[in-house]
Amino acid sequence: MSSLALYPVGLFFVLSAAHFARSRIDSRAAARYTCYGTALLGSALLVLAPPTVRAVQGTGVPVLAVMVIVLGDGLRDGAAAAIRLLAPALREADAAHGGRAGPAGARRPGVRGALALLGTVLGLRLALITAAAPGLAGDELTVGPELSARLALAGYTAVGMLHTAMCLVALLRELVRRARAAGPGRLGTGLRLLTGGLVAGLLWNAWSMDDVLRAAATGSQDGPEDMLCAVLGGLCAALVAAGLGSTLWPVATGAVRGWLRAHRRYRALTPLWRDLHTVLPEIALGPARRLPLPPRDPQFALYRRIIEIHDARLILRPHCDPRTAQWLDHATRRFPPSSPSHAAATAEAAALAAALELAAAGAVPQPAAPAAPAAPGTATPDTMDGEAEHLAHLARVYATCPAVAEVRTRARAERARRTEGALR
């Protein structure tokens, strides 16, 4: 029974982690409340699992085990409040998407109302459990034979059950409306699976009526989650996970792919950018990173690095040497390019390498010096992705092409000649 009870715990924590990753990208209230609800529900299931309660019982402090059960019920009440807030958050997202967003403070009364209701429920349940003063015998909460104690224990469970049912019904109505409007397709299927998960959650919550009746009649009820609750909890988690799979996972995997692509391009520009920054440190738009850690926002870092490289190329234009074309022609006879696109990138990288070496000599550029030779057959990319891919290819050619290395060597020799002449 313990492994079955712990199954939905892990699934709900996986869902909360996935929603946390999504909330870092999508800061809307719906993503945050989903993260809060799944995390709180997973925590509640972990606290109320039989192994947890039995481990606390082993400490020899009976009241501590009762407090753990009360804590788990409180976490479940918090999860229900987050689930209830999902319904207005989804409507608000629809209004914002359709250009019908209300005033900035329109959502606050709903949040305050949900928090006020949650505070009332927690306070009432705490008062009822204090009045019942239960003990824990095995896996069951037990109270004395007094009618007031039995009714207090039954009321404690009933208040939590009614609060959870009200919150689930609020979200269920919103999901049913959305599922009808969505029709067939991936979105409609996902919404129907989520609706089935909420129905399973309602059945899971309704099973608490058995505890209410037992508490009122016999003064005892189950403390931790029993096997049927674990089955219903697992079904609820599985249906919710399947429903989110049609909407959450494509967004999450797309975000991860975009992050990896931007980070890969950012690193691909590093050899070229490092050489440019060494000679022209003024191109840096921000402080250099001291540790070789990946940027927190690689898309923004990539965009800034592209701008810095373009600034360096503009600065280096007056330093272009007219002999670069001759040097490149001689180098390509020994190391012919493999394709026209490689030839274009080689010409561009060679001009840049030669200008960089001559600029490092500290010579005053000539105002009438020719610009870097245009690469034949190349078009200027019109998107940031295209520009990033173009510069990444240019950086690879700049760092690895033997023809570019030979042009760099000739320019370096010219740089040494200029330096020697200046010293004389």
Side-chain angles (χ1 to χ4, degrees):
M1 181 176 68
S2 60
S3 60
L4 186 60
L6 289 174
Y7 158 70
V9 175
L11 191 49
F12 272 115
F13 274 125
V14 168
L15 292 176
S16 65
H19 274 291
F20 176 77
R22 182 182 183 181
S23 65
R24 302 282 290 181
I25 304 168
D26 183 0
S27 60
R28 290 175 296 183
R32 294 199 307 272
Y33 293 144
T34 307
C35 176
Y36 298 156
T38 51
L40 287 170
L41 190 53
S43 301
L45 289 171
L46 181 62
V47 170
L48 293 173
T52 304
V53 177
R54 290 168 189 159
V56 175
Q57 277 184 291
T59 61
V61 184
V63 69
L64 188 59
V66 177
M67 292 174 61
V68 166
I69 294 174
V70 173
L71 172 63
D73 290 337
L75 291 172
R76 192 156 53 182
D77 292 334
I83 290 171
R84 181 193 178 196
L85 286 171
L86 265 175
L90 290 173
R91 288 193 293 269
E92 181 188 1
D94 285 344
H97 182 71
R100 304 184 302 276
R107 184 169 50 89
R108 294 180 182 176
V111 175
R112 287 198 297 265
L115 293 178
L117 178 61
L118 176 62
T120 302
V121 169
L122 292 177
L124 183 57
R125 296 193 79 187
L126 184 60
L128 289 170
I129 199 67
T130 302
L136 194 62
D139 288 342
E140 294 186 346
L141 286 174
T142 60
V143 296
E146 298 83 3
L147 179 61
S148 59
R150 286 184 282 139
L151 292 180
L153 181 60
Y156 167 82
T157 306
V159 169
M161 182 189 69
L162 292 175
H163 174 248
T164 302
M166 182 176 63
C167 296
L168 289 175
V169 168
L171 181 57
L172 184 61
R173 292 174 60 185
E174 181 67 21
L175 288 181
V176 169
R177 182 186 67 81
R178 285 170 165 260
R180 289 175 178 173
R186 188 178 68 180
L187 178 60
T189 301
L191 289 172
R192 291 179 183 88
L193 288 171
L194 288 173
T195 302
L198 286 184
V199 171
L202 280 171
L203 294 175
W204 181 15
N205 179 67
W207 185 247
S208 299
M209 182 57 67
D210 174 68
D211 291 333
V212 173
L213 297 177
R214 283 186 59 196
T218 65
S220 66
Q221 69 176 39
D222 290 333
E225 296 284 2
D226 58 16
M227 182 175 292
L228 182 57
C229 285
V231 171
L232 292 174
L235 179 61
C236 174
L239 289 174
V240 169
L244 292 175
S246 63
T247 54
L248 171 63
W249 307 137
V251 175
T253 55
V256 171
R257 285 197 302 268
W259 189 95
L260 291 175
R261 182 170 56 251
H263 183 265
R264 185 177 63 252
R265 290 172 174 171
Y266 176 83
R267 291 301 179 192
L269 298 181
T270 297
L272 175 60
W273 179 88
R274 186 189 299 115
D275 287 357
L276 294 172
H277 182 262
T278 300
V279 178
L280 306 170
E282 64 271 20
I283 65 173
L285 299 177
R289 299 176 64 85
R290 298 182 178 181
L291 297 176
L293 299 176
R296 180 178 181 182
D297 186 354
Q299 196 73 17
F300 175 76
L302 175 64
Y303 180 67
R304 189 173 71 176
R305 180 153 287 189
I306 289 174
I307 293 176
E308 292 170 348
I309 291 176
H310 278 303
D311 289 345
R313 295 170 74 183
L314 290 174
I315 296 173
L316 290 175
R317 276 188 176 184
H319 292 277
C320 289
D321 194 296
R323 292 168 294 179
T324 302
Q326 300 176 2
W327 296 340
L328 179 61
D329 183 64
H330 183 272
T332 52
R333 291 176 186 175
R334 297 179 56 198
F335 307 103
S338 58
S339 64
S341 62
H342 189 267
T346 301
E348 191 175 358
L352 190 60
L356 186 61
E357 289 294 335
L358 296 177
V364 178
Q366 298 294 327
T378 59
T380 303
D382 56 356
T383 64
M384 194 185 80
D385 283 344
E387 183 64 26
E389 194 63 35
H390 169 71
L391 288 180
H393 179 57
L394 176 65
R396 285 192 296 270
V397 173
Y398 172 86
T400 62
C401 180
V404 175
E406 183 170 327
V407 171
R408 185 185 295 111
T409 301
R410 289 177 176 268
R412 192 167 295 165
E414 177 65 18
R415 167 185 171 183
R417 188 186 65 78
R418 290 188 181 185
T419 304
E420 184 179 355
L423 291 177
R424 290 179 182 178

mmCIF file with all atom_site columns, all heavy atoms in Angstrom, residues 199-213:
data_model
loop_
_atom_site.group_PDB
_atom_site.id
_atom_site.type_symbol
_atom_site.label_atom_id
_atom_site.label_alt_id
_atom_site.label_comp_id
_atom_site.label_asym_id
_atom_site.label_entity_id
_atom_site.label_seq_id
_atom_site.pdbx_PDB_ins_code
_atom_site.Cartn_x
_atom_site.Cartn_y
_atom_site.Cartn_z
_atom_site.occupancy
_atom_site.B_iso_or_equiv
_atom_site.pdbx_formal_charge
_atom_site.auth_seq_id
_atom_site.auth_comp_id
_atom_site.auth_asym_id
_atom_site.auth_atom_id
_atom_site.pdbx_PDB_model_num
ATOM 1   N N   . VAL A 1 199 ? -12.703 15.223 -12.501 1.00 0.00 ? 199 VAL A N   1
ATOM 2   C CA  . VAL A 1 199 ? -13.788 14.331 -12.046 1.00 0.00 ? 199 VAL A CA  1
ATOM 3   C C   . VAL A 1 199 ? -13.225 13.267 -11.107 1.00 0.00 ? 199 VAL A C   1
ATOM 4   O O   . VAL A 1 199 ? -13.819 12.961 -10.053 1.00 0.00 ? 199 VAL A O   1
ATOM 5   C CB  . VAL A 1 199 ? -14.489 13.689 -13.253 1.00 0.00 ? 199 VAL A CB  1
ATOM 6   C CG1 . VAL A 1 199 ? -15.460 12.606 -12.794 1.00 0.00 ? 199 VAL A CG1 1
ATOM 7   C CG2 . VAL A 1 199 ? -15.232 14.751 -14.060 1.00 0.00 ? 199 VAL A CG2 1
ATOM 8   N N   . ALA A 1 200 ? -12.056 12.703 -11.466 1.00 0.00 ? 200 ALA A N   1
ATOM 9   C CA  . ALA A 1 200 ? -11.408 11.753 -10.558 1.00 0.00 ? 200 ALA A CA  1
ATOM 10  C C   . ALA A 1 200 ? -11.052 12.418 -9.242  1.00 0.00 ? 200 ALA A C   1
ATOM 11  O O   . ALA A 1 200 ? -11.163 11.812 -8.168  1.00 0.00 ? 200 ALA A O   1
ATOM 12  C CB  . ALA A 1 200 ? -10.160 11.161 -11.223 1.00 0.00 ? 200 ALA A CB  1
ATOM 13  N N   . GLY A 1 201 ? -10.627 13.698 -9.317  1.00 0.00 ? 201 GLY A N   1
ATOM 14  C CA  . GLY A 1 201 ? -10.345 14.423 -8.086  1.00 0.00 ? 201 GLY A CA  1
ATOM 15  C C   . GLY A 1 201 ? -11.582 14.627 -7.238  1.00 0.00 ? 201 GLY A C   1
ATOM 16  O O   . GLY A 1 201 ? -11.524 14.558 -6.003  1.00 0.00 ? 201 GLY A O   1
ATOM 17  N N   . LEU A 1 202 ? -12.719 14.883 -7.885  1.00 0.00 ? 202 LEU A N   1
ATOM 18  C CA  . LEU A 1 202 ? -13.967 15.017 -7.121  1.00 0.00 ? 202 LEU A CA  1
ATOM 19  C C   . LEU A 1 202 ? -14.351 13.702 -6.450  1.00 0.00 ? 202 LEU A C   1
ATOM 20  O O   . LEU A 1 202 ? -14.818 13.679 -5.295  1.00 0.00 ? 202 LEU A O   1
ATOM 21  C CB  . LEU A 1 202 ? -15.091 15.485 -8.047  1.00 0.00 ? 202 LEU A CB  1
ATOM 22  C CG  . LEU A 1 202 ? -15.133 16.980 -8.381  1.00 0.00 ? 202 LEU A CG  1
ATOM 23  C CD1 . LEU A 1 202 ? -16.160 17.254 -9.462  1.00 0.00 ? 202 LEU A CD1 1
ATOM 24  C CD2 . LEU A 1 202 ? -15.447 17.787 -7.125  1.00 0.00 ? 202 LEU A CD2 1
ATOM 25  N N   . LEU A 1 203 ? -14.179 12.577 -7.163  1.00 0.00 ? 203 LEU A N   1
ATOM 26  C CA  . LEU A 1 203 ? -14.453 11.276 -6.546  1.00 0.00 ? 203 LEU A CA  1
ATOM 27  C C   . LEU A 1 203 ? -13.485 11.002 -5.403  1.00 0.00 ? 203 LEU A C   1
ATOM 28  O O   . LEU A 1 203 ? -13.878 10.457 -4.358  1.00 0.00 ? 203 LEU A O   1
ATOM 29  C CB  . LEU A 1 203 ? -14.345 10.176 -7.614  1.00 0.00 ? 203 LEU A CB  1
ATOM 30  C CG  . LEU A 1 203 ? -15.392 10.217 -8.729  1.00 0.00 ? 203 LEU A CG  1
ATOM 31  C CD1 . LEU A 1 203 ? -15.090 9.143  -9.765  1.00 0.00 ? 203 LEU A CD1 1
ATOM 32  C CD2 . LEU A 1 203 ? -16.791 10.034 -8.152  1.00 0.00 ? 203 LEU A CD2 1
ATOM 33  N N   . TRP A 1 204 ? -12.234 11.368 -5.605  1.00 0.00 ? 204 TRP A N   1
ATOM 34  C CA  . TRP A 1 204 ? -11.225 11.218 -4.555  1.00 0.00 ? 204 TRP A CA  1
ATOM 35  C C   . TRP A 1 204 ? -11.627 12.012 -3.318  1.00 0.00 ? 204 TRP A C   1
ATOM 36  O O   . TRP A 1 204 ? -11.548 11.527 -2.188  1.00 0.00 ? 204 TRP A O   1
ATOM 37  C CB  . TRP A 1 204 ? -9.906  11.716 -5.135  1.00 0.00 ? 204 TRP A CB  1
ATOM 38  C CG  . TRP A 1 204 ? -8.711  11.639 -4.245  1.00 0.00 ? 204 TRP A CG  1
ATOM 39  C CD1 . TRP A 1 204 ? -8.569  10.942 -3.077  1.00 0.00 ? 204 TRP A CD1 1
ATOM 40  C CD2 . TRP A 1 204 ? -7.459  12.282 -4.460  1.00 0.00 ? 204 TRP A CD2 1
ATOM 41  N NE1 . TRP A 1 204 ? -7.324  11.109 -2.556  1.00 0.00 ? 204 TRP A NE1 1
ATOM 42  C CE2 . TRP A 1 204 ? -6.622  11.929 -3.388  1.00 0.00 ? 204 TRP A CE2 1
ATOM 43  C CE3 . TRP A 1 204 ? -6.967  13.116 -5.466  1.00 0.00 ? 204 TRP A CE3 1
ATOM 44  C CZ2 . TRP A 1 204 ? -5.305  12.394 -3.300  1.00 0.00 ? 204 TRP A CZ2 1
ATOM 45  C CZ3 . TRP A 1 204 ? -5.668  13.570 -5.376  1.00 0.00 ? 204 TRP A CZ3 1
ATOM 46  C CH2 . TRP A 1 204 ? -4.848  13.214 -4.300  1.00 0.00 ? 204 TRP A CH2 1
ATOM 47  N N   . ASN A 1 205 ? -12.097 13.243 -3.562  1.00 0.00 ? 205 ASN A N   1
ATOM 48  C CA  . ASN A 1 205 ? -12.516 14.079 -2.441  1.00 0.00 ? 205 ASN A CA  1
ATOM 49  C C   . ASN A 1 205 ? -13.812 13.556 -1.819  1.00 0.00 ? 205 ASN A C   1
ATOM 50  O O   . ASN A 1 205 ? -13.990 13.600 -0.590  1.00 0.00 ? 205 ASN A O   1
ATOM 51  C CB  . ASN A 1 205 ? -12.715 15.510 -2.945  1.00 0.00 ? 205 ASN A CB  1
ATOM 52  C CG  . ASN A 1 205 ? -13.176 16.448 -1.848  1.00 0.00 ? 205 ASN A CG  1
ATOM 53  O OD1 . ASN A 1 205 ? -12.448 16.732 -0.911  1.00 0.00 ? 205 ASN A OD1 1
ATOM 54  N ND2 . ASN A 1 205 ? -14.391 16.950 -1.975  1.00 0.00 ? 205 ASN A ND2 1
ATOM 55  N N   . ALA A 1 206 ? -14.741 13.041 -2.662  1.00 0.00 ? 206 ALA A N   1
ATOM 56  C CA  . ALA A 1 206 ? -16.019 12.560 -2.134  1.00 0.00 ? 206 ALA A CA  1
ATOM 57  C C   . ALA A 1 206 ? -15.850 11.348 -1.230  1.00 0.00 ? 206 ALA A C   1
ATOM 58  O O   . ALA A 1 206 ? -16.707 11.082 -0.366  1.00 0.00 ? 206 ALA A O   1
ATOM 59  C CB  . ALA A 1 206 ? -16.971 12.225 -3.295  1.00 0.00 ? 206 ALA A CB  1
ATOM 60  N N   . TRP A 1 207 ? -14.751 10.610 -1.421  1.00 0.00 ? 207 TRP A N   1
ATOM 61  C CA  . TRP A 1 207 ? -14.517 9.458  -0.558  1.00 0.00 ? 207 TRP A CA  1
ATOM 62  C C   . TRP A 1 207 ? -14.340 9.877  0.894   1.00 0.00 ? 207 TRP A C   1
ATOM 63  O O   . TRP A 1 207 ? -14.489 9.049  1.808   1.00 0.00 ? 207 TRP A O   1
ATOM 64  C CB  . TRP A 1 207 ? -13.306 8.673  -1.054  1.00 0.00 ? 207 TRP A CB  1
ATOM 65  C CG  . TRP A 1 207 ? -13.048 7.415  -0.304  1.00 0.00 ? 207 TRP A CG  1
ATOM 66  C CD1 . TRP A 1 207 ? -11.989 7.119  0.499   1.00 0.00 ? 207 TRP A CD1 1
ATOM 67  C CD2 . TRP A 1 207 ? -13.895 6.262  -0.245  1.00 0.00 ? 207 TRP A CD2 1
ATOM 68  N NE1 . TRP A 1 207 ? -12.090 5.874  1.031   1.00 0.00 ? 207 TRP A NE1 1
ATOM 69  C CE2 . TRP A 1 207 ? -13.272 5.309  0.586   1.00 0.00 ? 207 TRP A CE2 1
ATOM 70  C CE3 . TRP A 1 207 ? -15.119 5.930  -0.826  1.00 0.00 ? 207 TRP A CE3 1
ATOM 71  C CZ2 . TRP A 1 207 ? -13.819 4.062  0.852   1.00 0.00 ? 207 TRP A CZ2 1
ATOM 72  C CZ3 . TRP A 1 207 ? -15.665 4.689  -0.563  1.00 0.00 ? 207 TRP A CZ3 1
ATOM 73  C CH2 . TRP A 1 207 ? -15.012 3.773  0.268   1.00 0.00 ? 207 TRP A CH2 1
ATOM 74  N N   . SER A 1 208 ? -14.064 11.176 1.112   1.00 0.00 ? 208 SER A N   1
ATOM 75  C CA  . SER A 1 208 ? -13.947 11.662 2.489   1.00 0.00 ? 208 SER A CA  1
ATOM 76  C C   . SER A 1 208 ? -15.277 11.586 3.233   1.00 0.00 ? 208 SER A C   1
ATOM 77  O O   . SER A 1 208 ? -15.297 11.636 4.471   1.00 0.00 ? 208 SER A O   1
ATOM 78  C CB  . SER A 1 208 ? -13.448 13.115 2.496   1.00 0.00 ? 208 SER A CB  1
ATOM 79  O OG  . SER A 1 208 ? -12.161 13.217 1.904   1.00 0.00 ? 208 SER A OG  1
ATOM 80  N N   . MET A 1 209 ? -16.408 11.472 2.511   1.00 0.00 ? 209 MET A N   1
ATOM 81  C CA  . MET A 1 209 ? -17.704 11.340 3.191   1.00 0.00 ? 209 MET A CA  1
ATOM 82  C C   . MET A 1 209 ? -17.736 10.091 4.061   1.00 0.00 ? 209 MET A C   1
ATOM 83  O O   . MET A 1 209 ? -18.390 10.070 5.115   1.00 0.00 ? 209 MET A O   1
ATOM 84  C CB  . MET A 1 209 ? -18.824 11.300 2.147   1.00 0.00 ? 209 MET A CB  1
ATOM 85  C CG  . MET A 1 209 ? -20.227 11.202 2.743   1.00 0.00 ? 209 MET A CG  1
ATOM 86  S SD  . MET A 1 209 ? -20.604 12.553 3.898   1.00 0.00 ? 209 MET A SD  1
ATOM 87  C CE  . MET A 1 209 ? -20.620 13.938 2.752   1.00 0.00 ? 209 MET A CE  1
ATOM 88  N N   . ASP A 1 210 ? -17.023 9.049  3.634   1.00 0.00 ? 210 ASP A N   1
ATOM 89  C CA  . ASP A 1 210 ? -16.927 7.851  4.463   1.00 0.00 ? 210 ASP A CA  1
ATOM 90  C C   . ASP A 1 210 ? -16.293 8.174  5.804   1.00 0.00 ? 210 ASP A C   1
ATOM 91  O O   . ASP A 1 210 ? -16.748 7.693  6.854   1.00 0.00 ? 210 ASP A O   1
ATOM 92  C CB  . ASP A 1 210 ? -16.115 6.785  3.720   1.00 0.00 ? 210 ASP A CB  1
ATOM 93  C CG  . ASP A 1 210 ? -15.861 5.564  4.578   1.00 0.00 ? 210 ASP A CG  1
ATOM 94  O OD1 . ASP A 1 210 ? -16.810 4.841  4.894   1.00 0.00 ? 210 ASP A OD1 1
ATOM 95  O OD2 . ASP A 1 210 ? -14.672 5.342  4.944   1.00 0.00 ? 210 ASP A OD2 1
ATOM 96  N N   . ASP A 1 211 ? -15.255 9.031  5.795   1.00 0.00 ? 211 ASP A N   1
ATOM 97  C CA  . ASP A 1 211 ? -14.619 9.429  7.050   1.00 0.00 ? 211 ASP A CA  1
ATOM 98  C C   . ASP A 1 211 ? -15.548 10.272 7.909   1.00 0.00 ? 211 ASP A C   1
ATOM 99  O O   . ASP A 1 211 ? -15.543 10.171 9.142   1.00 0.00 ? 211 ASP A O   1
ATOM 100 C CB  . ASP A 1 211 ? -13.334 10.210 6.757   1.00 0.00 ? 211 ASP A CB  1
ATOM 101 C CG  . ASP A 1 211 ? -12.251 9.320  6.169   1.00 0.00 ? 211 ASP A CG  1
ATOM 102 O OD1 . ASP A 1 211 ? -12.269 8.111  6.449   1.00 0.00 ? 211 ASP A OD1 1
ATOM 103 O OD2 . ASP A 1 211 ? -11.386 9.842  5.432   1.00 0.00 ? 211 ASP A OD2 1
ATOM 104 N N   . VAL A 1 212 ? -16.361 11.132 7.263   1.00 0.00 ? 212 VAL A N   1
ATOM 105 C CA  . VAL A 1 212 ? -17.296 11.968 8.018   1.00 0.00 ? 212 VAL A CA  1
ATOM 106 C C   . VAL A 1 212 ? -18.323 11.102 8.740   1.00 0.00 ? 212 VAL A C   1
ATOM 107 O O   . VAL A 1 212 ? -18.604 11.281 9.947   1.00 0.00 ? 212 VAL A O   1
ATOM 108 C CB  . VAL A 1 212 ? -17.993 12.978 7.075   1.00 0.00 ? 212 VAL A CB  1
ATOM 109 C CG1 . VAL A 1 212 ? -19.089 13.742 7.825   1.00 0.00 ? 212 VAL A CG1 1
ATOM 110 C CG2 . VAL A 1 212 ? -16.978 13.940 6.471   1.00 0.00 ? 212 VAL A CG2 1
ATOM 111 N N   . LEU A 1 213 ? -18.877 10.141 8.019   1.00 0.00 ? 213 LEU A N   1
ATOM 112 C CA  . LEU A 1 213 ? -19.897 9.281  8.632   1.00 0.00 ? 213 LEU A CA  1
ATOM 113 C C   . LEU A 1 213 ? -19.298 8.411  9.732   1.00 0.00 ? 213 LEU A C   1
ATOM 114 O O   . LEU A 1 213 ? -19.911 8.233  10.802  1.00 0.00 ? 213 LEU A O   1
ATOM 115 C CB  . LEU A 1 213 ? -20.551 8.408  7.551   1.00 0.00 ? 213 LEU A CB  1
ATOM 116 C CG  . LEU A 1 213 ? -21.325 9.181  6.454   1.00 0.00 ? 213 LEU A CG  1
ATOM 117 C CD1 . LEU A 1 213 ? -21.852 8.210  5.404   1.00 0.00 ? 213 LEU A CD1 1
ATOM 118 C CD2 . LEU A 1 213 ? -22.459 9.978  7.088   1.00 0.00 ? 213 LEU A CD2 1
#
